[in-house]
Amino acid sequence: MPVIVSAPGRVNLIGDHTDYTGGLVLPMVLEVATTITGDVTDDRVWHLVSDDEPLPVTLHLPIDDPARIEPRWGRYVAGVLHELERAGVAPRGFSGRVSTTVPIGSGLSSSAALEIAVARVATVDRPMPPTDMAQLCQRAEHVASGVPCGIMDQLCIAAGQPGHATLIDCRDLSIEHVPIPSAVTVSVEFIAPRTLAGSEYADRVTETTAVERIVGPLRDASLESLSVIADEKLRRRAHHVISENQRVLDFVAALRRADWTEAGRLMTESHWSLSRDFETSNATMDAAVERTLRAPGVLGARMTGGGFGGCVVALRSVE
Ligand code: GLA
Protein backbone atom coordinates (compact mmCIF):
# COMPACT_ATOMS: atom_id res chain seq x y z
CA MET A 1 0.00 0.00 0.00
CA PRO A 2 1.60 3.33 -1.06
CA VAL A 3 1.72 6.00 1.65
CA ILE A 4 2.63 9.68 1.66
CA VAL A 5 2.45 11.70 4.87
CA SER A 6 3.97 14.90 6.14
CA ALA A 7 4.35 16.76 9.42
CA PRO A 8 5.33 20.44 9.74
CA GLY A 9 8.01 22.18 11.76
CA ARG A 10 6.90 24.63 14.43
CA VAL A 11 7.93 27.96 15.86
CA ASN A 12 6.90 29.13 19.31
CA LEU A 13 5.52 32.68 19.42
CA ILE A 14 5.52 32.93 23.22
CA GLY A 15 5.43 30.60 26.22
CA ASP A 16 8.80 28.88 26.48
CA HIS A 17 9.89 26.53 29.25
CA THR A 18 6.35 26.45 30.59
CA ASP A 19 5.06 23.21 29.05
CA TYR A 20 6.76 20.75 31.41
CA THR A 21 5.13 22.42 34.42
CA GLY A 22 1.65 22.26 32.88
CA GLY A 23 1.77 25.87 31.68
CA LEU A 24 0.60 27.75 28.60
CA VAL A 25 2.30 27.86 25.20
CA LEU A 26 1.52 29.49 21.85
CA PRO A 27 3.42 27.79 19.03
CA MET A 28 2.39 27.67 15.37
CA VAL A 29 3.02 25.24 12.56
CA LEU A 30 5.32 26.36 9.75
CA GLU A 31 5.18 25.75 6.00
CA VAL A 32 8.38 23.70 6.16
CA ALA A 33 7.67 20.00 6.72
CA THR A 34 9.02 16.47 6.87
CA THR A 35 7.58 14.07 4.30
CA ILE A 36 7.70 10.28 4.24
CA THR A 37 6.80 8.35 1.09
CA GLY A 38 6.88 4.60 0.63
CA ASP A 39 4.98 1.35 0.92
CA VAL A 40 3.52 -0.60 3.81
CA THR A 41 4.94 -4.12 3.71
CA ASP A 42 3.74 -7.45 5.06
CA ASP A 43 6.86 -8.17 7.14
CA ARG A 44 7.70 -6.42 10.40
CA VAL A 45 10.71 -4.53 9.08
CA TRP A 46 11.06 -0.76 8.70
CA HIS A 47 13.55 0.41 6.14
CA LEU A 48 14.01 4.15 5.67
CA VAL A 49 16.46 6.19 3.69
CA SER A 50 16.80 9.92 4.26
CA ASP A 51 17.72 12.66 1.82
CA ASP A 52 19.66 14.32 4.66
CA GLU A 53 21.49 11.38 6.21
CA PRO A 54 24.26 9.24 4.73
CA LEU A 55 23.12 5.96 6.30
CA PRO A 56 19.71 4.27 6.05
CA VAL A 57 17.81 2.83 9.02
CA THR A 58 16.66 -0.78 9.19
CA LEU A 59 14.56 -1.81 12.18
CA HIS A 60 13.20 -5.25 13.00
CA LEU A 61 10.04 -5.01 15.10
CA PRO A 62 9.54 -5.23 18.01
CA ILE A 63 12.47 -3.04 19.05
CA ASP A 64 14.12 -3.73 22.41
CA ASP A 65 15.96 -0.49 23.09
CA PRO A 66 15.42 2.50 20.75
CA ALA A 67 18.26 4.44 22.44
CA ARG A 68 20.84 1.98 21.04
CA ILE A 69 19.82 2.20 17.39
CA GLU A 70 22.42 3.31 14.84
CA PRO A 71 22.53 5.57 12.90
CA ARG A 72 21.27 7.96 15.54
CA TRP A 73 18.47 9.51 13.49
CA GLY A 74 16.89 6.05 13.54
CA ARG A 75 16.32 6.43 17.31
CA TYR A 76 13.41 8.82 16.70
CA VAL A 77 11.84 6.33 14.30
CA ALA A 78 12.52 3.43 16.65
CA GLY A 79 11.21 5.40 19.64
CA VAL A 80 7.84 5.94 17.96
CA LEU A 81 7.54 2.32 16.78
CA HIS A 82 8.54 1.09 20.24
CA GLU A 83 5.90 3.29 21.93
CA LEU A 84 3.22 2.18 19.46
CA GLU A 85 4.06 -1.44 20.25
CA ARG A 86 3.77 -0.67 23.98
CA ALA A 87 0.40 0.98 23.32
CA GLY A 88 -0.83 -2.26 21.75
CA VAL A 89 -0.64 -1.05 18.13
CA ALA A 90 1.72 -3.50 16.45
CA PRO A 91 2.96 -1.54 13.41
CA ARG A 92 3.27 -3.30 10.07
CA GLY A 93 6.46 -3.08 8.03
CA PHE A 94 7.34 -0.09 5.84
CA SER A 95 9.89 0.76 3.22
CA GLY A 96 10.34 4.37 2.22
CA ARG A 97 12.17 7.67 2.06
CA VAL A 98 12.29 10.68 4.40
CA SER A 99 12.84 14.16 3.12
CA THR A 100 12.48 17.43 4.96
CA THR A 101 12.47 21.17 4.48
CA VAL A 102 12.62 21.71 8.28
CA PRO A 103 16.19 22.83 8.99
CA ILE A 104 17.73 20.15 11.22
CA GLY A 105 19.12 21.19 14.63
CA SER A 106 17.81 24.74 14.39
CA GLY A 107 15.15 24.67 17.11
CA LEU A 108 12.18 24.33 14.73
CA SER A 109 11.33 20.81 15.95
CA SER A 110 12.75 18.71 13.14
CA SER A 111 12.82 15.72 15.51
CA ALA A 112 9.18 16.10 16.56
CA ALA A 113 8.19 16.48 12.89
CA LEU A 114 9.98 13.20 12.11
CA GLU A 115 8.26 11.50 15.06
CA ILE A 116 4.78 12.65 14.07
CA ALA A 117 5.42 11.72 10.42
CA VAL A 118 6.50 8.20 11.47
CA ALA A 119 3.45 7.88 13.74
CA ARG A 120 1.19 8.98 10.86
CA VAL A 121 2.70 6.33 8.58
CA ALA A 122 2.41 3.60 11.22
CA THR A 123 -1.24 4.47 11.99
CA VAL A 124 -2.30 5.22 8.41
CA ASP A 125 -5.04 2.57 8.46
CA ARG A 126 -6.12 3.20 12.10
CA PRO A 127 -6.03 6.95 12.77
CA MET A 128 -5.17 8.07 16.29
CA PRO A 129 -6.40 11.27 18.05
CA PRO A 130 -3.74 14.03 17.82
CA THR A 131 -3.38 14.27 21.61
CA ASP A 132 -2.67 10.54 21.96
CA MET A 133 -0.23 10.69 19.07
CA ALA A 134 1.56 13.70 20.58
CA GLN A 135 1.92 12.06 23.99
CA LEU A 136 3.23 8.89 22.39
CA CYS A 137 5.77 10.87 20.35
CA GLN A 138 6.81 12.88 23.42
CA ARG A 139 7.66 9.59 25.16
CA ALA A 140 9.54 8.52 22.03
CA GLU A 141 11.57 11.74 22.14
CA HIS A 142 12.47 11.11 25.80
CA VAL A 143 13.71 7.63 24.94
CA ALA A 144 15.43 8.58 21.68
CA SER A 145 17.23 11.74 22.75
CA GLY A 146 17.27 11.52 26.55
CA VAL A 147 15.85 15.08 26.68
CA PRO A 148 12.90 15.28 29.13
CA CYS A 149 10.93 17.59 26.81
CA GLY A 150 7.40 18.81 27.37
CA ILE A 151 4.42 18.23 25.04
CA MET A 152 4.47 21.53 23.11
CA ASP A 153 6.29 20.52 19.94
CA GLN A 154 4.58 17.20 19.32
CA LEU A 155 1.09 18.52 20.11
CA CYS A 156 1.44 21.65 17.99
CA ILE A 157 2.67 19.57 15.06
CA ALA A 158 -0.06 16.94 15.49
CA ALA A 159 -2.93 19.40 15.95
CA GLY A 160 -1.87 22.80 14.57
CA GLN A 161 -3.65 24.55 11.70
CA PRO A 162 -1.89 26.65 9.04
CA GLY A 163 -2.24 30.40 9.60
CA HIS A 164 -3.15 29.89 13.26
CA ALA A 165 -1.19 29.85 16.47
CA THR A 166 -2.00 26.90 18.74
CA LEU A 167 -2.82 27.94 22.28
CA ILE A 168 -2.12 24.83 24.36
CA ASP A 169 -2.92 24.40 28.01
CA CYS A 170 -0.25 21.84 28.87
CA ARG A 171 -2.08 20.84 32.05
CA ASP A 172 -5.24 19.46 30.45
CA LEU A 173 -3.94 19.46 26.84
CA SER A 174 -6.86 21.56 25.62
CA ILE A 175 -6.22 23.50 22.43
CA GLU A 176 -7.51 26.71 20.91
CA HIS A 177 -6.62 27.78 17.38
CA VAL A 178 -5.84 31.51 17.34
CA PRO A 179 -5.83 33.12 13.87
CA ILE A 180 -2.81 35.26 13.02
CA PRO A 181 -4.36 38.57 11.90
CA SER A 182 -3.43 39.75 8.40
CA ALA A 183 -2.09 43.08 9.77
CA VAL A 184 0.93 41.28 11.23
CA THR A 185 3.33 38.63 10.07
CA VAL A 186 5.63 36.22 11.85
CA SER A 187 9.23 35.86 10.67
CA VAL A 188 11.78 33.26 11.74
CA GLU A 189 15.53 33.70 11.38
CA PHE A 190 18.06 30.98 11.98
CA ILE A 191 20.91 32.22 14.18
CA ALA A 192 22.97 29.32 15.53
CA PRO A 193 22.84 25.51 15.60
CA ARG A 194 21.87 23.87 18.85
CA THR A 195 21.01 20.54 20.37
CA LEU A 196 19.09 20.12 23.61
CA ALA A 197 20.71 16.74 24.30
CA GLY A 198 23.45 17.37 26.86
CA SER A 199 22.35 21.01 27.30
CA GLU A 200 21.06 22.63 30.49
CA TYR A 201 17.48 21.87 29.37
CA ALA A 202 17.28 18.90 31.75
CA ASP A 203 18.68 21.08 34.58
CA ARG A 204 15.79 23.53 34.08
CA VAL A 205 13.31 20.66 34.37
CA THR A 206 15.03 19.59 37.61
CA GLU A 207 15.07 23.16 38.94
CA THR A 208 11.38 23.77 38.27
CA THR A 209 10.57 20.45 39.93
CA ALA A 210 12.55 21.63 42.98
CA VAL A 211 10.62 24.93 42.97
CA GLU A 212 7.30 23.10 42.83
CA ARG A 213 8.24 21.12 45.92
CA ILE A 214 8.36 24.48 47.73
CA VAL A 215 5.47 26.48 46.23
CA GLY A 216 3.29 23.77 44.66
CA PRO A 217 2.34 23.74 40.95
CA LEU A 218 3.87 26.76 39.20
CA ARG A 219 0.73 27.02 37.11
CA ASP A 220 -1.20 28.01 40.24
CA ALA A 221 1.55 29.99 41.97
CA SER A 222 1.63 33.79 42.16
CA LEU A 223 4.67 36.05 41.96
CA GLU A 224 3.98 37.07 45.57
CA SER A 225 4.36 33.46 46.74
CA LEU A 226 7.99 33.44 45.54
CA SER A 227 9.29 35.22 48.63
CA VAL A 228 9.30 31.87 50.46
CA ILE A 229 11.95 30.50 48.07
CA ALA A 230 15.31 31.09 49.77
CA ASP A 231 17.47 30.16 46.77
CA GLU A 232 17.85 33.20 44.51
CA LYS A 233 18.39 31.16 41.34
CA LEU A 234 15.29 29.03 41.93
CA ARG A 235 13.29 32.20 42.61
CA ARG A 236 14.29 33.57 39.20
CA ARG A 237 13.39 30.29 37.48
CA ALA A 238 9.94 30.43 39.08
CA HIS A 239 9.57 34.11 38.20
CA HIS A 240 10.11 33.30 34.55
CA VAL A 241 7.54 30.50 34.44
CA ILE A 242 4.80 32.34 36.33
CA SER A 243 5.26 35.57 34.36
CA GLU A 244 5.55 33.68 31.06
CA ASN A 245 2.21 31.92 31.58
CA GLN A 246 0.62 35.33 32.11
CA ARG A 247 2.38 36.73 29.03
CA VAL A 248 0.85 34.00 26.86
CA LEU A 249 -2.65 35.03 27.98
CA ASP A 250 -1.82 38.73 27.58
CA PHE A 251 -0.35 38.13 24.10
CA VAL A 252 -3.49 36.32 22.89
CA ALA A 253 -5.66 39.11 24.35
CA ALA A 254 -3.49 41.75 22.62
CA LEU A 255 -3.80 39.96 19.27
CA ARG A 256 -7.58 39.79 19.69
CA ARG A 257 -7.90 43.53 20.34
CA ALA A 258 -5.43 44.33 17.52
CA ASP A 259 -2.87 45.85 19.90
CA TRP A 260 0.22 44.84 17.92
CA THR A 261 2.54 47.10 19.89
CA GLU A 262 1.63 45.34 23.12
CA ALA A 263 1.88 41.89 21.50
CA GLY A 264 5.39 42.71 20.29
CA ARG A 265 6.39 44.15 23.65
CA LEU A 266 5.33 40.94 25.39
CA MET A 267 7.45 38.85 23.01
CA THR A 268 10.51 40.94 23.73
CA GLU A 269 9.82 40.83 27.47
CA SER A 270 9.60 37.04 27.17
CA HIS A 271 13.06 36.96 25.63
CA TRP A 272 14.66 38.91 28.47
CA SER A 273 12.88 36.76 31.02
CA LEU A 274 14.35 33.66 29.36
CA SER A 275 17.75 35.31 29.17
CA ARG A 276 18.00 36.80 32.68
CA ASP A 277 15.75 34.70 34.87
CA PHE A 278 15.73 31.33 33.12
CA GLU A 279 19.24 31.57 31.60
CA THR A 280 18.51 29.59 28.46
CA SER A 281 19.80 32.28 26.08
CA ASN A 282 23.38 33.29 25.33
CA ALA A 283 25.26 36.34 24.03
CA THR A 284 24.75 35.35 20.38
CA MET A 285 20.99 34.98 20.75
CA ASP A 286 20.66 38.18 22.82
CA ALA A 287 22.59 40.13 20.15
CA ALA A 288 20.43 38.62 17.40
CA VAL A 289 17.25 39.70 19.20
CA GLU A 290 18.60 43.23 19.65
CA ARG A 291 19.57 43.43 15.98
CA THR A 292 16.14 42.14 14.90
CA LEU A 293 14.40 44.73 17.08
CA ARG A 294 16.22 47.54 15.22
CA ALA A 295 14.83 46.45 11.83
CA PRO A 296 11.94 48.49 10.38
CA GLY A 297 8.46 47.15 11.11
CA VAL A 298 9.54 44.81 13.90
CA LEU A 299 7.13 44.95 16.83
CA GLY A 300 8.85 42.38 19.05
CA ALA A 301 11.39 39.57 18.90
CA ARG A 302 12.60 36.68 20.99
CA MET A 303 14.57 33.49 20.92
CA THR A 304 12.17 30.62 20.29
CA GLY A 305 12.05 27.11 21.72
CA GLY A 306 14.43 25.27 24.01
CA GLY A 307 17.18 27.88 23.77
CA PHE A 308 21.00 27.91 23.82
CA GLY A 309 20.86 28.76 20.10
CA GLY A 310 18.34 28.13 17.36
CA CYS A 311 16.11 30.81 15.83
CA VAL A 312 14.74 34.26 16.56
CA VAL A 313 11.02 34.74 15.95
CA ALA A 314 9.72 38.25 15.30
CA LEU A 315 6.33 39.88 14.98
CA ARG A 316 6.22 42.45 12.18
CA SER A 317 3.62 44.83 10.96
CA VAL A 318 2.48 44.40 7.37
CA GLU A 319 2.78 47.71 5.52
C1 GLA B 1 11.85 22.31 23.50
C2 GLA B 1 11.00 21.21 24.10
C3 GLA B 1 9.60 21.72 24.42
C4 GLA B 1 9.65 22.99 25.24
C5 GLA B 1 10.61 24.00 24.62
C6 GLA B 1 10.80 25.22 25.50
O1 GLA B 1 11.36 22.70 22.27
O2 GLA B 1 10.90 20.12 23.21
O3 GLA B 1 8.86 20.72 25.08
O4 GLA B 1 9.97 22.73 26.58
O5 GLA B 1 11.89 23.42 24.37
O6 GLA B 1 9.63 25.92 25.57
Side-chain angles (χ1 to χ4, degrees):
M1 180 176 61
V3 175
I4 174 163
V5 303
S6 67
R10 71 94 189 93
V11 67
N12 193 18
L13 292 179
I14 195 162
D16 267 317
H17 289 277
T18 50
D19 58 351
Y20 48 83
T21 48
L24 300 169
V25 295
L26 191 72
M28 64 184 283
V29 290
L30 296 167
E31 280 174 15
V32 289
T34 294
T35 302
I36 302 181
T37 54
D39 290 283
V40 174
T41 56
D42 283 331
D43 52 18
R44 293 258 290 149
V45 179
W46 268 61
H47 184 75
L48 283 180
V49 294
S50 165
D51 287 353
D52 296 281
E53 297 286 344
L55 295 176
V57 168
T58 302
L59 302 166
H60 295 267
L61 308 186
I63 296 155
D64 276 348
D65 184 358
R68 294 167 69 97
I69 296 296
E70 296 290 344
R72 291 178 82 96
W73 70 275
R75 294 180 188 179
Y76 298 101
V77 181
V80 173
L81 298 174
H82 177 74
E83 289 301 324
L84 280 166
E85 200 90 38
R86 276 171 33 111
V89 182
R92 294 162 67 189
F94 184 76
S95 179
R97 169 176 292 274
V98 183
S99 58
T100 192
T101 52
V102 185
I104 295 168
S106 64
L108 300 179
S109 290
S110 55
S111 60
L114 175 59
E115 290 152 14
I116 296 289
V118 168
R120 284 181 173 157
V121 169
T123 59
V124 72
D125 47 2
R126 47 203 150 167
M128 184 180 255
T131 307
D132 293 354
M133 186 179 284
Q135 287 177 298
L136 191 142
C137 289
Q138 180 193 14
R139 291 196 298 274
E141 173 88 35
H142 291 176
V143 172
S145 69
V147 176
C149 68
I151 191 74
M152 168 170 74
D153 305 343
Q154 289 81 5
L155 190 48
C156 172
I157 290 168
Q161 293 178 357
H164 292 70
T166 318
L167 175 60
I168 305 174
D169 181 330
C170 299
R171 178 149 65 181
D172 62 12
L173 303 188
S174 58
I175 287 174
E176 211 180 310
H177 299 286
V178 181
I180 301 294
S182 56
V184 288
T185 179
V186 172
S187 66
V188 182
E189 187 190 355
F190 173 67
I191 306 297
R194 72 102 181 91
T195 169
L196 293 181
S199 76
E200 287 179 33
Y201 184 98
D203 299 335
R204 297 299 177 273
V205 176
T206 308
E207 288 161 1
T208 50
T209 306
V211 165
E212 292 193 314
R213 276 199 290 271
I214 306 170
V215 295
L218 278 166
R219 179 65 187 279
D220 300 322
S222 65
L223 291 177
E224 292 72 49
S225 68
L226 299 187
S227 54
V228 299
I229 305 174
D231 184 292
E232 186 268 340
K233 186 176 77 181
L234 290 186
R235 214 162 47 232
R236 282 190 286 119
R237 303 294 189 249
H239 192 281
H240 166 73
V241 176
I242 295 170
S243 62
E244 186 80 347
N245 282 331
Q246 187 59 46
R247 274 188 291 272
V248 172
L249 294 174
D250 293 347
F251 182 89
V252 171
L255 277 193
R256 288 189 169 137
R257 63 173 194 274
D259 188 347
W260 320 130
T261 308
E262 174 64 0
R265 189 194 69 75
L266 287 160
M267 283 176 76
T268 307
E269 187 178 276
S270 163
H271 177 78
W272 294 115
S273 178
L274 284 166
S275 177
R276 292 173 186 145
D277 285 342
F278 218 67
E279 294 181 281
T280 51
S281 185
N282 56 33
T284 306
M285 299 310 288
D286 288 354
V289 165
E290 281 174 331
R291 180 172 45 74
T292 306
L293 286 168
R294 287 196 293 271
V298 171
L299 299 154
R302 58 188 291 280
M303 179 185 64
T304 184
F308 313 106
C311 291
V312 165
V313 61
L315 189 71
R316 293 166 190 262
S317 52
V318 174
E319 298 311 323

